[in-house]
């Protein structure tokens, strides 16, 4: 029999953590550790909510975990990784808020009492017409789920903090006390009834609310409600139109055809016989390396029924079609007959790739059920060279297959996290289809490797591409940002290797390129070695949505020092950057280290620690957790500030 959840007592108005954590530090910690925090909330929430509502509520509680109205000059995160995460005041704050609100959500509603926001169904995020749930686990996960459902919310929180966060009991007791739990000791004792041997299962995909399966809701009931709503809406529209009509009925539409007239271009876009194709040698004859010169390939290019279904679904996707549209991509039908790039069988699917001059449409249907399908749309305007060298054909069993451009001659797989590892040759079919290899876009659990596609063209040019869960892979480059074409990541693999797994943070964001720029190398104050300063910047197909991150790399590990959206720093428009990070020596001395790009002629720290130095490097002794403001001067006399965390909410 399930035990009743204990109502948490009201927390104090302001804890010690809340009094020192500003919005920017908390936001940077939330974005960096978002999947971990959502998993904490999901595991703490009561199973009685149902998996769909637990998923949405976990995301809502995590996104509402930021402090309100407190902001400082320049946040400096604590040294990251396992120990650094625990020393980060931002992470400690948002974790406390997530646990606190998850415990409140588990408390049953009381009659005549106003419910708290965390106890109500979340307003955002909202999903209509789908039920979301994490991937199903095995028998071990099912057994653990049953044991956890029998615990109270505080006991579940204690078990998760033990097993997932690896916190000692005194720290858990203090955290639960701050979260408003009446008896943290009892919660810890109750959590001990679940064997600690099952701690590793907490990191399994069964409890990952960021990797989800989608299923439709009750289709019959939804159809009935939709029909009733449409009928009511139509009645209101007709009545309103009749009341508002002028003497001559509907107003004139000028030279437009009657509304019932068919548009010839729209009709041609649905006719497979009107599909355009490029010659096999078009790219050689024209010298162009874009999608317009891709010939039609695959074993089903003559299957008129398949092509007709693909065109019809693109124009009018039905209820059974899973539609995925990249950010900033128009979702409408093609304006005219599109170009056929591929039609063939991939694993257990029939796949069609179409190009309308601005977008790639990927249509896929199961071999045994053409009544269900998937449609992916992504913009590729202006794509050339690396941007038009490969498209994702399909993903299955954790692997990905690509269709490569006709000018590609060799393909290989390289582990971006291992710069000294040899590239593994990848077989190419006559149609340019690669053999499958592990995709980092669909992998769950801890990241230890990041396989990228390495292509070589007919002229000897090379490109490194990575799957970020979209039809078009992102191009990885290195070097100082410029308006010209960046160097491929294969030119300096050691620059990318410490930060390969950070690419997971920009999946499904419409990313076109990601550049890594090592802008400084700094000797450590105790003489134990050097640290590399790297700025990574993502550019998107839509232009907006860029992200710049400064990262600090030593022999003990790498971590993000600041991240900002929609800023020119570290990009072609402003190829300069200034960053600061905390560092502690092996003997326990704490410092603030700062660095700028090579054209920085002076650096100055003020606030919680102060100091200045000519050149682009600075090291200042400072208390652990100190916050300071960093400024620098460029060779042309212009003053710049350190990159600040200004990330948008996830």
């Amino acid at each position: 029999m399930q035990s009743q959840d204990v109502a948490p007592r009201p927390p104090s108005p302001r804890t010690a953590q809340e009094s020192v954590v500003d919005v920017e530090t908390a936001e940077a910690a939330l974005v960096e550790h978002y999947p971990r925090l959502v998993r904490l909330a999901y595991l703490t929430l009561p199973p009685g909510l149902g998996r769909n509502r637990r998923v949405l509520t976990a995301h809502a509680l995590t996104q509402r975990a930021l402090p309100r109205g407190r902001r400082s000059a320049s946040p400096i995160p604590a040294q990251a990784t396992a120990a650094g995460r625990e020393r980060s005041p931002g992470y400690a704050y948002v974790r406390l808020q997530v646990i606190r609100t998850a415990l409140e959500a588990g408390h049953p509603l009381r009659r005549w009492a106003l419910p708290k926001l965390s106890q109500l169904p979340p307003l955002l995020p909202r999903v209509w017409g789908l039920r979301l749930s994490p991937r199903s686990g095995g028998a071990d996960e099912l057994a653990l789920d049953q044991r956890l459902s029998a615990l109270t919310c505080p006991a579940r929180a204690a078990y998760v903090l033990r097993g997932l966060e690896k916190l000692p009991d005194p720290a858990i007791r203090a955290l639960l006390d701050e979260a408003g739990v009446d008896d943290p000791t009892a919660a810890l004792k109750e959590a001990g009834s679940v064997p600690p041997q099952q701690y590793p299962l907490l990191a399994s995909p069964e409890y990952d609310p960021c990797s989800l399966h989608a299923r439709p809701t009750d289709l019959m009931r939804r159809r009935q409600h939709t029909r009733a709503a449409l009928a009511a809406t139509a009645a209101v529209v007709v009545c309103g139109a009749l009341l508002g009509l002028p003497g001559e009925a509907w107003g004139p539409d000028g030279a437009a055809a009657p509304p019932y007239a068919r548009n010839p271009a729209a009709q041609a876009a649905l006719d497979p016989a009107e599909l355009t194709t490029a010659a096999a040698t078009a790219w050689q004859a024209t010298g162009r390396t874009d999608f317009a010169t891709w010939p039609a390939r695959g074993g089903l290019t003559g299957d008129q029924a398949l092509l007709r279904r693909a065109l019809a679904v693109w124009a009018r996707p039905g209820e059974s079609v899973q539609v995925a549209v990249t950010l900033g991509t128009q979702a409408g039908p093609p304006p005219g007959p599109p170009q056929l790039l591929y039609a063939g069988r991939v694993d257990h699917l029939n796949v069609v790739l179409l190009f309308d001059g601005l977008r790639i449409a990927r249509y896929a249907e199961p071999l045994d059920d053409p009544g269900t399908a998937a449609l992916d749309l992504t913009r590729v305007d202006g794509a050339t060279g690396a941007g038009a060298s490969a498209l994702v054909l399909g993903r299955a069993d954790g692997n990905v297959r690509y269709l490569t451009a006709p000018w590609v001659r060799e393909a290989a797989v390289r582990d971006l996290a291992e710069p000294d590892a040899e590239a593994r040759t990848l077989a190419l079919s006559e149609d340019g289809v690669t053999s499958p290899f592990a995709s980092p876009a669909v992998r769950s659990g801890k990241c230890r490797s990041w396989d990228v596609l390495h292509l070589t063209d007919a002229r000897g040019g090379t490109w490194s591409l990575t799957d970020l869960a979209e039809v078009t892979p992102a191009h990885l480059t290195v070097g100082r940002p410029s308006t010209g074409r960046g160097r491929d990541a294969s030119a300096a693999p050691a620059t990318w290797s410490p930060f390969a797994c950070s690419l997971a943070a920009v999946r499904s964001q419409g990313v076109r390129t990601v550049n890594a720029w090592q802008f400084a190398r700094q000797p450590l104050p105790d003489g134990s070695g050097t640290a590399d300063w790297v700025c990574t910047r993502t550019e998107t197909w839509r232009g907006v949505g860029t992200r710049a991150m400064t990262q600090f790399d030593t022999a003990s590990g790498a971590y993000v020092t600041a991240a900002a959206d929609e800023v020119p720093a570290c990009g072609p428009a402003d190829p300069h950057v200034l960053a600061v990070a905390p560092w502690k020596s092996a003997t326990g001395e704490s410092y603030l280290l700062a660095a700028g790009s090579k054209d920085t002629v002076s650096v100055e720290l003020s606030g919680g620690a102060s100091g200045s130095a000519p050149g682009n490097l600075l090291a200042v002794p400072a208390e652990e957790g100190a916050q300071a403001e960093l400024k620098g001067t460029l060779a042309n006399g212009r003053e710049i500030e350190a990159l600040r965390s200004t990330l948008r909410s996830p």
Side-chain angles (χ1 to χ4, degrees):
M1 180 169 55
Q2 289 189 359
S3 55
Q4 297 297 319
D5 289 330
V6 179
R9 60 176 169 81
S12 58
R14 175 176 287 196
T15 65
Q17 286 178 347
E18 291 177 288
S19 64
V20 298
V21 175
D22 59 274
V23 176
E24 294 176 344
T25 301
E27 186 178 33
L30 187 148
V31 173
E32 183 178 358
H33 302 290
Y34 184 77
R36 187 181 194 87
L37 292 165
V38 177
R39 187 187 291 260
L40 279 173
Y42 181 82
L43 285 163
T44 304
L45 287 168
L49 293 178
R51 303 183 79 189
N52 181 73
R53 183 169 168 185
R54 281 175 75 192
V55 166
L56 297 179
T57 302
H59 283 275
L61 298 182
T62 305
Q63 293 174 19
R64 292 202 296 261
L66 294 178
R68 299 179 183 274
R70 291 185 292 280
R71 195 170 287 269
S72 68
S74 179
I76 302 175
Q79 207 161 333
T81 66
R85 186 177 63 244
E86 297 309 321
R87 290 198 297 269
S88 168
Y91 180 75
Y93 175 86
V94 293
R95 179 176 62 190
L96 172 61
Q97 298 306 310
V98 167
I99 294 296
R100 175 183 294 165
T101 52
L103 291 173
E104 291 174 353
H107 180 52
L109 294 174
R110 294 175 178 172
R111 184 177 295 180
W112 313 120
L114 289 176
K116 295 185 178 181
L117 183 61
S118 57
Q119 294 176 284
L120 299 174
L123 296 176
L124 291 174
R126 283 301 264 195
V127 178
W128 297 94
L130 289 175
R131 292 190 182 276
L132 303 178
S133 62
R135 301 178 182 180
S136 298
D140 293 338
E141 286 86 352
L142 179 60
L144 176 59
D145 203 43
Q146 291 173 344
R147 286 178 176 269
L148 292 178
S149 65
L151 301 179
T152 61
C153 275
R156 275 196 303 275
Y159 186 83
V160 173
L161 291 171
R162 273 178 177 167
L164 195 62
E165 293 291 274
K166 309 299 183 187
L167 293 181
D169 282 5
I172 297 174
R173 188 177 293 107
L175 191 152
L176 293 179
D177 183 66
E178 282 193 86
V181 175
D182 284 331
D183 193 350
T185 301
L188 284 166
K189 183 177 180 180
E190 184 183 352
S193 64
V194 182
Q197 291 81 3
Q198 294 182 303
Y199 286 159
L201 296 178
L202 296 175
S204 70
E206 169 80 12
Y207 305 111
D208 183 5
C210 293
S211 180
L212 301 169
H213 280 302
R215 294 293 183 270
T217 55
D218 189 331
L219 297 179
M220 294 301 296
R221 180 179 297 178
R222 190 171 74 192
R223 184 175 297 176
Q224 293 170 356
H225 291 177
T226 302
R227 288 174 178 171
L230 289 175
T233 303
V236 171
V237 170
V238 170
C239 292
L242 291 176
L243 291 174
L245 282 178
E248 296 299 325
W250 296 105
D253 289 333
Y260 52 80
R262 292 185 174 182
N263 184 293
Q267 290 298 114
L270 298 176
D271 186 356
E274 297 293 330
L275 286 172
T276 64
T277 57
T281 57
W283 68 275
Q284 295 170 312
T286 62
R288 293 171 52 179
T289 54
D290 54 26
F291 289 114
T293 58
W294 278 38
R297 290 171 288 176
L300 300 177
T301 54
D303 190 335
Q304 297 295 299
L306 171 63
L307 300 179
R308 187 180 300 278
R309 290 195 298 271
L311 292 169
V313 167
W314 187 357
R316 305 182 309 276
E319 290 185 353
S320 63
V321 179
Q322 298 179 10
V323 181
V325 182
T326 300
L327 291 175
T329 303
Q330 295 296 322
Q339 177 183 342
L340 177 62
L341 304 181
Y342 181 86
R345 184 166 297 176
V346 180
D347 297 322
H348 302 293
L349 298 172
N350 289 328
V351 177
V352 178
L353 292 178
L354 301 166
F355 173 57
D356 70 351
L358 295 175
R359 300 169 297 172
I360 294 291
R362 176 185 175 273
Y363 170 83
E365 64 179 29
L367 298 180
D368 55 352
D369 186 11
T372 60
L375 177 68
D376 297 279
L377 295 173
T378 185
R379 62 185 294 175
V380 291
D381 41 313
T384 184
S389 60
L391 293 172
V392 171
L393 273 182
R395 300 181 185 90
D397 302 325
N399 296 321
V400 61
R401 288 183 188 269
Y402 289 93
L403 176 67
T404 59
W407 50 85
V408 170
R409 291 293 174 264
E410 296 178 2
V413 179
R414 183 186 298 273
D415 185 356
L416 198 64
E418 295 292 340
D420 298 327
E422 292 291 332
R424 310 187 301 274
T425 302
L426 199 62
L428 284 176
S429 71
E430 293 183 0
D431 287 332
V433 178
T434 68
S435 55
F437 65 94
S439 168
V442 296
R443 180 179 52 205
S444 59
K446 187 174 182 179
C447 175
R448 291 185 172 85
S449 63
W450 195 278
D451 285 346
V452 297
L453 179 66
H454 187 72
L455 299 179
T456 304
D457 69 3
R459 299 174 181 175
T462 58
W463 301 296
S464 295
L465 308 172
T466 183
D467 183 11
L468 293 180
E470 293 172 323
V471 177
T472 53
H475 183 207
L476 303 179
T477 60
V478 293
R480 182 184 177 91
S482 66
T483 55
R485 182 179 300 175
R487 290 190 303 157
D488 187 77
S490 59
T495 301
W496 257 113
S497 60
F499 315 108
C501 291
S502 67
L503 289 167
V506 292
R507 286 183 292 199
S508 302
Q509 299 297 312
V511 173
R512 184 173 189 168
T513 63
V514 188
N515 184 64
W517 171 31
Q518 181 183 318
F519 63 90
R521 174 166 288 175
Q522 183 172 19
L524 296 175
D526 64 350
S528 60
T530 60
D532 288 335
W533 290 89
V534 175
C535 185
T536 58
R537 183 180 176 90
T538 61
E539 302 287 347
T540 66
W541 289 99
R542 62 192 184 279
V544 298
T546 60
R547 174 172 295 181
M549 293 193 298
T550 52
Q551 307 191 56
F552 183 72
D553 179 30
T554 66
S556 60
Y559 62 94
V560 176
T561 66
D565 291 339
E566 306 293 353
V567 295
C570 193
D574 187 17
H576 313 285
V577 67
L578 191 63
V580 59
W583 180 80
K584 180 180 286 188
S585 68
T587 56
E589 289 91 359
S590 295
Y591 295 85
L592 288 181
L593 305 184
S597 47
K598 291 185 178 180
D599 52 356
T600 304
V601 296
S602 67
V603 184
E604 180 180 4
L605 268 174
S606 60
S610 60
S612 63
N616 67 326
L617 302 175
L618 176 64
V620 175
E623 294 183 0
E624 187 172 354
Q627 296 187 1
E629 185 174 354
L630 176 65
K631 293 184 178 180
T633 304
L634 299 179
N636 60 7
R638 173 187 158 200
E639 288 192 353
I640 60 173
E641 295 183 350
L643 186 71
R644 300 187 181 192
S645 291
T646 56
L647 296 177
R648 296 179 176 179
S649 297

